[in-house]
Amino acid sequence: FRKVINECEIDEPTISDIGAGSGYKLEKWLPEFTGNRLIGYDLEPTVNILKNKYPNKTWLVSDFESNPKKVDLVICADVIEHVMNPDKLMQFILKMNPEHLVISTPDRNLLVQLLQRDNNGPPKNPYHVREWSFDEFSKYISQFFDIISHKNDSSEFNQYIYCKKKK
């Protein structure tokens, strides 16, 4: 995240993290982002827990229907595979009008190859609605943003896309 923030070349960028979870990654990598400079979105009761644990940041409930605050960078790590309608998630992100997006999800091909899983049927993880192959994810995200880089990490079975707002 630090590398992407540096590439943004924006003084004091604002950041949203969709699916903030425990808040750990934000505190670990971006501790200096406080107040409205960092807005974490998640569901209840997680948001209430985060407000108590990290009161120096802004935590909001995300239902994908609200009008979120405009930010410079959106982080959406390991969320899209849990969402029934990924188009709603992407529209929510677009409402933030970010210049930059970092989004990740498990790479189905790595899961099949490295775990020797069957590629047929629904995801083996009961909390995943859909798992994306590298090419599928690239094609999908490129409908909304210009992809700058797309990499996978076999140690975490994940793929990461860094992209910018379409011109």
Side-chain angles (χ1 to χ4, degrees):
F1 298 125
R2 179 65 55 203
K3 181 181 175 198
V4 171
I5 291 169
N6 292 340
E7 287 181 20
C8 289
E9 297 180 354
I10 300 169
D11 289 334
E12 299 195 17
T14 54
I15 300 172
S16 281
D17 181 22
I18 299 173
S22 69
Y24 172 77
K25 68 180 175 278
L26 301 179
E27 277 299 305
K28 178 182 176 186
W29 293 314
L30 308 172
E32 74 280 14
F33 284 78
T34 59
N36 285 326
R37 287 195 57 215
L38 191 138
I39 303 164
Y41 290 91
D42 213 304
L43 303 171
E44 286 295 4
T46 302
V47 169
N48 194 45
I49 293 167
L50 291 167
K51 284 179 179 180
N52 290 321
K53 190 171 185 178
Y54 304 113
N56 62 333
K57 296 183 178 1
T58 301
W59 305 103
L60 300 173
V61 174
S62 64
D63 59 6
F64 301 159
E65 301 298 325
S66 62
N67 290 316
K69 299 179 186 301
K70 183 188 179 326
V71 295
D72 300 308
L73 167 67
V74 171
I75 299 167
C76 186
D78 299 331
V79 172
I80 197 166
E81 66 273 13
H82 299 276
V83 177
M84 187 63 69
N85 185 345
D87 289 349
K88 283 189 174 186
L89 170 63
M90 296 309 296
Q91 293 305 319
F92 184 70
I93 292 170
L94 289 170
K95 285 184 203 177
M96 294 179 193
N97 197 25
E99 288 293 323
H100 307 269
L101 168 67
V102 176
I103 187 166
S104 68
T105 192
D107 183 334
R108 188 179 70 232
N109 292 346
L110 287 177
L111 293 170
V112 168
Q113 176 189 0
L114 298 173
L115 297 179
Q116 299 179 344
R117 282 189 5 188
D118 183 1
N119 197 18
N120 297 318
K124 302 300 181 221
N125 184 325
Y127 300 106
H128 290 182
V129 175
R130 176 180 182 162
E131 293 170 345
W132 309 72
S133 73
F134 193 86
D135 291 338
E136 289 169 343
F137 197 49
S138 184
K139 184 177 179 180
Y140 180 72
I141 297 299
S142 68
Q143 296 174 77
F144 305 96
F145 289 89
D146 291 330
I147 295 175
I148 304 304
S149 66
H150 187 181
K151 300 175 183 175
N152 58 20
D153 179 351
S154 60
S155 69
E156 295 188 17
F157 309 106
N158 255 4
Q159 54 185 312
Y160 304 88
I161 293 180
Y162 165 51
C163 41
K164 291 186 177 181
K165 181 167 52 173
K166 284 195 173 282
K167 299 293 181 193

